[in-house]
């Protein structure tokens, strides 16, 4: 990430020297000679770091007063104070008021570079700690070996390096936010912020306030929105179809110009943000119904990605279950348990309408409710009722219906249900299904044909 550094120094030659040092290190620099110009620049866009001189000739405020004002606006903004007339009292006062460090002029370039690097790293770690408080562990990889997941990984690696906007579609619980995080982590914005917001969970009246921030009529009382906090990083908008139409128009302007206005403000704020969106609804249909702007849809849908449902990649379920057990055991203190073959078969046969999220919740429930020694595997009998049936579509009175059938019909019905469940379990792979059920592949093909069951792949 290219950090935005604001330099406030009244002496032009020193200002140019500091700018040159930091620009050579790859920083984006904005340099000003007065407190008034610096405040206007901060209001236009919050910097990542401020290098601030104590004595500002010709300004209404000196550096210490400006430090107070900056900390009122942005408490988490790192500020490095510099001075050629430094005293112990001034240094102590600056640190107490929130400055990260105090450097006395003249200073070596290495001193400035090291201090700036540490200030930015400290600010980044503090922000990450605040964001992680109370949150569950975030997965950092797609789990599974199915063709669908392998293809998705390839697409992510190709798209991530670009700055293109991405629209991720898929049912709830399929891991759309994980895909967005992977796109961010594999891009050149990796060290920048990743900000996620669910449009469906935001109060409609506050969507714009959350996204764009607010500003008092006198230019004070600033509250930065998510877009400003995502500067030089990625903004992930989940369930974008639920965004109000008026906000859609403002989001469109952001995508076109990379600028917006805070609520109550008159000046434009310019940012550099990659926007990734997702939706569990068909946005093309929403456009046809007049519920989503067509021009915005085309702007967002530059690179479409689809998150596959768990029912379409059942062969990944054993890997996912093992991953969740390891993760939960490490974070919750629950003992890791093995899943018996019969229980795993039932988990693979289930349709999982809630997808990966529902599977994880059920694994957590299994670990909590499991009895006996940790070395004992979890069996079919201990699975929740919602997934313990071989076919999740089975009706409650299935046994009564079976009893009413002649033996030949009941056996055929059972074979059809059993084999269909196994085919689903192994993702349509007939060879693996035949190996598990103990049949030759050709014999299984004949049996499936006699039962009126199709096959996807060998």
């Amino acid at each position: 990430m290219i950090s935005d550094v604001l330099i406030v120094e009244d002496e032009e030659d020193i200002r140019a020297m500091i700018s040159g040092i930091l620009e050579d290190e790859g920083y984006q620099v904005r340099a000003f000679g007065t407190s008034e110009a610096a405040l206007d620049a901060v209001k236009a866009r919050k910097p990542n770091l401020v290098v601030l001189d104590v004595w500002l000739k010709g300004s209404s405020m000196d550096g210490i007063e400006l430090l107070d004002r900056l900390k009122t606006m942005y408490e988490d903004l790192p500020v490095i104070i510099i001075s050629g007339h430094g005293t112990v009292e001034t240094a102590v006062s600056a640190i107490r008021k929130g400055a990260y460090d105090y450097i006395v002029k003249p200073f070596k370039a290495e001193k400035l570079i090291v201090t700036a690097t540490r200030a930015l790293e400290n600010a980044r770690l503090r922000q990450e700690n605040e964001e992680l408080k109370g949150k569950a562990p975030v997965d950092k990889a797609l789990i599974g070996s199915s063709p669908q997941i392998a293809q998705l990984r390839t697409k992510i690696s190709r798209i991530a390096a670009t700055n293109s906007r991405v629209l991720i579609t898929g049912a709830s619980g399929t891991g759309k936010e994980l895909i967005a995080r992977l796109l961010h982590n594999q891009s050149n914005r990796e060290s920048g912020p990743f900000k996620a917001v669910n449009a469906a969970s935001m109060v409609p009246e506050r969507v714009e306030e959350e996204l764009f921030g607010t500003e008092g009529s006198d230019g004070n009382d600033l509250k930065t929105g998510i877009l400003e906090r995502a500067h030089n990083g990625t903004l992930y908008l989940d369930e974008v179809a639920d965004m109000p139409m008026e906000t859609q128009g403002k989001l469109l302007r952001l995508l076109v110009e990379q600028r917006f206005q805070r609520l109550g403000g008159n000046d434009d704020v310019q940012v550099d943000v990659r926007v990734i969106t997702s939706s569990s609804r068909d946005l093309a249909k929403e456009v046809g119904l007049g519920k989503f702007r067509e021009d915005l849809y085309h702007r967002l849908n530059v690179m479409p990605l689809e998150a596959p449902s768990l029912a379409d990649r059942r062969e990944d379920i054993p890997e996912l279950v093992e991953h969740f057990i390891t993760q939960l055991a490490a974070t919750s203190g629950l003992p890791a348990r093995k899943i018996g073959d019969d229980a795993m078969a039932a988990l693979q046969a289930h349709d999982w309408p809630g997808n990966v999220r529902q599977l994880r919740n059920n694994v957590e429930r299994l670990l909590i409710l499991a009895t006996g020694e940790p070395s004992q595997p979890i069996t079919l009998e201990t699975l929740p009722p919602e997934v313990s049936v071989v076919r999740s579509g089975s009706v409650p009175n299935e046994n009564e219906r079976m009893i009413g059938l002649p033996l030949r019909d009941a056996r055929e019905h059972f074979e059809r249900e059993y084999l269909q469940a196994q085919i689903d379990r192994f993702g349509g792979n007939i060879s693996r299904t035949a190996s598990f059920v103990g049949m030759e592949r050709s014999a299984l093909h004949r049996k499936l044909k006699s039962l009126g069951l199709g096959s996807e792949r060998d």
Side-chain angles (χ1 to χ4, degrees), residues 163-168 240 248 251-253 255-256 275 277 282-288 292-304:
N163 203 37
S164 300
R165 291 181 287 275
V166 181
L167 174 61
I168 307 169
V240 70
Q248 291 178 30
L251 178 61
L252 179 65
R253 186 195 176 204
L255 297 178
V256 175
V275 177
T277 53
D282 187 335
L283 284 187
K285 288 184 178 179
E286 296 294 306
V287 170
F292 200 82
R293 291 182 60 129
E294 184 176 5
D295 47 2
L296 178 58
Y297 169 67
H298 292 304
R299 290 278 181 180
L300 297 176
N301 195 33
V302 176
M303 291 300 304

Side-chain angles (χ1 to χ4, degrees), residues 209-229:
E209 179 181 336
E210 294 289 335
L211 283 178
F212 306 119
T214 59
E215 182 178 331
S217 57
D218 57 354
N220 296 323
D221 300 324
L222 295 181
K223 178 184 176 184
T224 55
I226 295 170
L227 277 167
E228 273 186 89
R229 298 198 295 273

Side-chain angles (χ1 to χ4, degrees), residues 150-339:
Q151 186 179 40
L152 183 56
R153 286 196 192 99
T154 301
K155 289 182 177 179
I156 289 173
S157 64
R158 294 178 64 182
I159 296 171
T162 72
N163 203 37
S164 300
R165 291 181 287 275
V166 181
L167 174 61
I168 307 169
T169 56
S172 177
T174 51
K176 296 188 289 294
E177 181 172 341
L178 172 58
I179 294 172
R181 287 185 179 275
L182 292 175
L183 288 166
H184 172 76
N185 293 340
Q186 296 179 32
S187 72
N188 58 7
R189 296 173 179 267
E190 177 187 6
S191 59
F194 176 90
K195 298 296 181 182
V197 59
N198 188 310
S201 66
M202 298 169 70
V203 179
E205 294 76 18
R206 295 195 59 193
V207 171
E208 293 186 24
E209 179 181 336
E210 294 289 335
L211 283 178
F212 306 119
T214 59
E215 182 178 331
S217 57
D218 57 354
N220 296 323
D221 300 324
L222 295 181
K223 178 184 176 184
T224 55
I226 295 170
L227 277 167
E228 273 186 89
R229 298 198 295 273
H231 180 58
N232 283 330
T234 302
L235 173 66
Y236 170 58
L237 288 172
D238 189 20
E239 297 301 343
V240 70
D242 294 303
M243 184 174 288
M245 290 292 285
E246 183 178 352
T247 311
Q248 291 178 30
K250 295 188 177 183
L251 178 61
L252 179 65
R253 186 195 176 204
L254 168 72
L255 297 178
V256 175
E257 304 177 10
Q258 289 278 289
R259 64 175 66 237
F260 61 92
Q261 289 182 350
R262 302 186 190 96
L263 290 184
N266 297 315
D267 298 326
D268 285 347
V269 178
Q270 188 155 10
V271 291
D272 179 10
V273 175
R274 183 183 192 178
V275 177
I276 298 175
T277 53
S278 69
S279 178
S280 57
R281 306 213 299 261
D282 187 335
L283 284 187
K285 288 184 178 179
E286 296 294 306
V287 170
L289 294 172
K291 296 181 179 179
F292 200 82
R293 291 182 60 129
E294 184 176 5
D295 47 2
L296 178 58
Y297 169 67
H298 292 304
R299 290 278 181 180
L300 297 176
N301 195 33
V302 176
M303 291 300 304
L305 278 179
E306 183 175 0
S309 66
L310 190 54
D312 290 335
R313 56 182 189 107
R314 298 174 193 270
E315 58 204 277
D316 290 334
I317 289 177
E319 284 185 67
L320 286 164
V321 170
E322 182 67 26
H323 170 72
F324 292 142
I325 288 175
T326 302
Q327 187 183 73
L328 290 164
T331 58
S332 66
L334 294 168
R337 307 291 289 254
K338 294 292 184 182
I339 304 294

Side-chain angles (χ1 to χ4, degrees), residues 338-353:
K338 294 292 184 182
I339 304 294
D341 291 340
D342 57 348
M344 186 63 75
L347 292 176
Q348 286 185 273
H350 190 63
D351 285 338
W352 298 110

